[in-house]
Amino acid sequence: MTINQLEYFLVCARCGSVTKAAEELYTTQPHVSMVIKSLEKELGVTLFYRKARGVELTKEGRRIYPYAANTLKNTAFIFSACKENAHASLRIAANSSSHMTALLADFYQRYPGRDLFLQYTECKTEDILTFVSEQEYDLGFLFVPEHKKPALIQMLKHRRLEFAPLCTADLVLYVGKEHPLYGACAITPEQLLGLRFIQLEDDFFAVEDLLYDVHFNQIVKTNSSHMMISMLEHTDLCNLGSFWLKDLFRQYDFSRITVNGFQDKVSFGYVRPGSRPLGAQEKSFLKFLRSAMRRDAL
């Protein structure tokens, strides 16, 4: 079985016609028919019903169609990965953070010749652990509430990952200029009860879970950092979160109000495969990140 055979099979199924498939594949109708027949012979099944006005998948054809589609998709990923290896690459997964996006942009801008393939995605902590353990990403940056650290340790052990803490942070309330609390320095957990919130989609490691005995009023739930920022800028909604840079790369004029009693309750750091040494780009970025954190602390 060849990739070429699977491609011809998929195109014929999508077009419903050998003639149209031949046109799309820039070949002849007899050649397409020959390739399909050779695949059927190899598999020992009939893939198409031949009709006067085209072809239709048989039961066996419908069964193997999704597998053939996935095979071609994964083949494309393999070729893409090989092309990426021709350049320096850095693949990072992280909890949502405007600081991280700004830091990565600065890192890319400073990279020699900007000859760097950079891949970045924001997702939940459990997804980060999966991506890094399956080596789809090189590093994963995340926030861990203090009371969830034992659970994280168990998950890391199961996936053979290591967590390197970079700093501890406070639980804070973010509000925009439209909010009455804009400019405040601190708030008690009890004062949160009368507020309206926008939070990211549910995550087992969500920092707001530190307030497990406070039932605050969640109005909007999203997986979009743009939605979060827009709501904070233009409404009276607020957000419970954390941060790891105070002023460096700060992009938005939001008040960060400390929640009393929850200072230094969140760890920020990165996960990596425990069995694999750090690559040159990973070391370079971590050095850049630590330097930024030192400058921010001054």
Side-chain angles (χ1 to χ4, degrees), residues 89-92 132 135 137-141 160-166 269-290:
S89 66
L90 179 64
R91 303 169 301 168
I92 288 177
V132 176
Q135 301 193 44
Y137 288 81
D138 304 312
L139 298 171
F141 291 87
R160 297 181 180 179
L161 299 174
E162 293 180 355
F163 176 67
L166 293 168
Y270 65 92
V271 294
R272 55 175 293 270
S275 59
R276 179 177 60 79
L278 290 171
Q281 285 69 46
E282 296 157 56
K283 289 180 180 178
S284 179
F285 178 70
L286 289 171
K287 181 180 179 181
F288 184 80
L289 184 151
R290 290 188 175 100

Side-chain angles (χ1 to χ4, degrees), residues 11-31:
V11 174
C12 279
R14 188 178 70 251
C15 292
S17 164
V18 175
T19 301
K20 291 180 180 178
E23 293 174 358
E24 186 170 320
L25 293 164
Y26 297 99
T27 187
T28 64
Q29 179 180 339
H31 180 65

Side-chain angles (χ1 to χ4, degrees), residues 50-101:
R50 276 72 173 178
K51 297 184 175 183
R53 293 190 177 182
V55 294
E56 181 182 330
L57 285 171
T58 62
K59 179 180 178 181
E60 291 77 11
R62 291 196 302 272
R63 185 180 298 131
I64 74 166
Y65 184 93
Y67 298 109
N70 282 332
T71 298
L72 249 65
K73 181 175 69 175
N74 289 331
T75 301
F77 286 153
I78 290 171
F79 281 115
S80 177
C82 290
K83 290 179 181 178
E84 290 169 18
N85 287 337
H87 303 276
S89 66
L90 179 64
R91 303 169 301 168
I92 288 177
N95 291 151
S96 180
S97 170
S98 60
H99 287 317
M100 181 61 75
T101 56

